[in-house]
Amino acid sequence: MAPGTTTDPYELRFDTGRSCLDLVATTHPVERLDSVAALRAWITGAGLVPPGTPLAHADPAWLTAFRELRCATGRLVRDRPPPHTGPYDLALARVNDLARAAPPAPRAVPGRDGALVRELAGPPPCAALLGALARDAVDLLTDPVARASLRQCAGDNCPIVYVDTSRGRRRRWCSSEICGNRERVARHRRRAALAR
């Protein structure tokens, strides 16, 4: 599945504008990282590894680690308490700790058609993938422009946070095709009910 494509609401989505926010979005509308296979698909879909990278070494401990980073990142992008508050500070410390790991190192190799393609030297360790996501979160949280562009979806009961890069910063939904469509359908039904 390519980033930016329309998906079923229960499939993996990559439309928040940042990989760390795509990870946070995996809890809505249901737990999407419910198996190691789903995590492997998410890692590839998020672009953390090139397509075809072997991830057979991923195990249930990876699920726990990714969910822990997801929780910490979610707290940091949703909560904006003053410094030195317990859960926020713990989340920040965890993200900073994970960001220390070097992300997977890509290399350019000739593909089947001779064009250079990206691949990894070997299967990436969990810490390297978590490091890439944690670094993305640190970049997001420390960039005043990106931080100011964070929005929570205006969809009914949608907790997804995204980076609004639209012209005029008027984007209202995490996905126009999903939450936006639900809102348009609900608005139409309300108008139809009033017309009766």
Side-chain angles (χ1 to χ4, degrees):
M1 173 175 26
T5 60
T6 304
T7 63
D8 181 275
Y10 294 94
E11 290 180 12
L12 300 174
R13 293 175 44 197
F14 304 97
D15 51 8
T16 65
R18 297 298 283 253
S19 58
C20 64
L21 296 178
D22 289 336
L23 178 63
V24 173
T26 60
T27 61
H28 180 74
V30 295
E31 174 61 64
R32 293 184 186 153
L33 299 182
D34 59 356
S35 68
V36 175
L39 177 60
R40 288 180 188 133
W42 187 87
I43 289 168
T44 302
L48 294 177
V49 297
T53 299
L55 294 170
H57 62 295
D59 61 31
W62 284 41
L63 268 177
T64 302
F66 273 80
R67 288 175 179 168
E68 179 183 299
L69 175 57
R70 176 181 69 188
C71 180
T73 304
R75 173 153 294 159
L76 296 175
V77 298
R78 288 191 179 109
D79 299 342
R80 296 186 190 174
H84 310 300
T85 58
Y88 187 88
D89 283 351
L90 289 173
L92 185 58
R94 186 63 183 145
V95 168
N96 284 333
D97 185 49
L98 290 170
R100 290 181 187 155
R107 62 185 188 158
V109 296
R112 290 185 181 155
D113 63 357
L116 293 178
V117 296
R118 183 175 66 115
E119 74 171 29
L120 302 180
C126 183
L129 298 174
L130 293 171
L133 287 167
R135 285 174 183 217
D136 185 52
V138 168
D139 288 344
L140 173 65
L141 296 167
T142 59
D143 178 346
V145 174
R147 180 77 186 212
S149 298
L150 286 177
R151 305 281 185 271
Q152 178 149 345
C153 181
D156 193 28
N157 297 317
C158 182
I160 293 179
V161 176
Y162 60 90
V163 177
D164 183 1
T165 58
S166 67
R167 179 182 280 180
R169 305 292 188 253
R170 295 182 185 167
R171 182 175 165 189
R172 295 184 53 213
W173 303 292
C174 61
S175 168
S176 182
E177 293 82 19
I178 298 172
C179 287
N181 191 49
R182 284 185 195 135
E183 178 64 27
R184 287 186 290 273
V185 168
R187 198 176 325 141
H188 172 75
R189 288 181 180 159
R190 285 190 299 271
R191 281 195 306 258
L194 287 173
R196 285 187 218 142

